[in-house]
Amino acid sequence: MVNVVAHRGASAANPPGNTLSAFAGAVTEGADWVELDVHLTADGEMVVHHDPVLADGRVLGELSAADLPDVIPTLAEALAACSPLAVNVEIKPDGVDALRPSLIAKVVELLQSEPTSREFLVTSFDHDICDQVRALDPTLPTGLLNAHGETLQSDLDRAASAGHVAINPWHGIVTKEFVDRAHALAIAVNVWTVDDPEQMRALAE
């Protein structure tokens, strides 16, 4: 099965993505899933932004939500904007360390409040974060992000042994043999970020 995932929403048509217009655009353009990135502000608000800092260098985790540009949505606003699409929530590991436990708990709590018919996948490059999500709610699907070919096989083994349902690698390191092995372990493979139609066809095959 092949799903179309709108990376940061319909970001090509609504640059730079991770905005309400990009998420609404993903619905309009017929995506199956939306991928977005979440951080926590100093006053405990989950906000959707790719980097831990703003363009002017200010750190998200050191600011209150009221200090942020209006274009940065809360996670709740983002989920509403792309409803009813499935959502891959990436918990970013590069924010303020002291806020991380609260961020993980708040993400789990919010997703638990969503309709049970809606699909979610929580991912991170910090695989300990994924383990912590599962510890809080083993029913919430989780997946391991990977950008390095040398750890891809060991990450797949970790996903299978720890109960994660997916592995999300950079498309350039994926082989047919890897996908076959993942599927044999009942692990979904979600590659990122593929914008070229020929690459899409090759990966789908």
Side-chain angles (χ1 to χ4, degrees):
M1 180 179 182
V2 177
N3 288 310
V4 175
V5 181
H7 186 240
R8 306 183 205 171
S11 51
N14 301 272
N18 273 337
T19 60
L20 295 182
S21 60
F23 298 134
V27 178
T28 302
E29 294 183 19
D32 301 302
W33 283 73
V34 161
E35 183 272 350
L36 53 79
D37 312 284
V38 63
H39 292 272
L40 197 68
T41 62
D43 58 343
E45 184 66 74
M46 292 176 290
V47 294
V48 177
H49 194 260
H50 184 265
D51 298 324
V53 297
L54 300 177
D56 60 11
R58 290 182 296 161
V59 178
L60 284 172
E62 297 174 355
L63 301 172
S64 67
D67 295 327
L68 303 182
D70 291 341
V71 71
I72 297 178
T74 66
L75 179 57
E77 290 170 339
L79 295 182
C82 63
S83 180
L85 301 186
V87 183
N88 176 358
V89 178
E90 180 184 344
I91 298 179
K92 304 297 281 190
D94 49 3
V96 176
D97 288 345
L99 297 177
R100 190 173 303 166
S102 181
L103 172 59
I104 295 168
K106 284 175 176 287
V107 168
V108 170
E109 182 179 16
L110 178 60
L111 298 187
Q112 288 173 331
S113 72
E114 287 286 311
T116 56
S117 59
R118 194 172 186 187
E119 288 187 79
F120 292 102
L121 178 69
V122 180
T123 60
S124 183
F125 280 105
D126 184 334
H127 300 163
D128 289 340
I129 288 177
C130 299
D131 291 340
Q132 291 166 44
V133 170
R134 277 193 51 76
L136 291 172
D137 185 350
T139 70
L140 190 58
T142 46
L144 309 184
L145 278 159
N146 180 286
H148 306 289
E150 62 269 20
T151 63
L152 191 56
Q153 295 294 339
S154 60
D155 285 351
L156 177 58
D157 292 335
R158 175 172 179 169
S161 63
H164 304 297
V165 303
I167 187 163
N168 293 17
W170 175 56
H171 71 87
I173 60 176
V174 172
T175 64
K176 183 180 185 303
E177 291 73 22
F178 174 79
V179 173
D180 288 345
R181 181 167 181 258
H183 288 171
L185 293 169
I187 301 294
V189 179
N190 305 309
V191 295
W192 52 271
T193 299
V194 187
D195 297 320
D196 179 75
E198 288 300 320
Q199 283 185 325
M200 291 179 191
R201 278 190 283 270
L203 287 163
E205 293 170 357

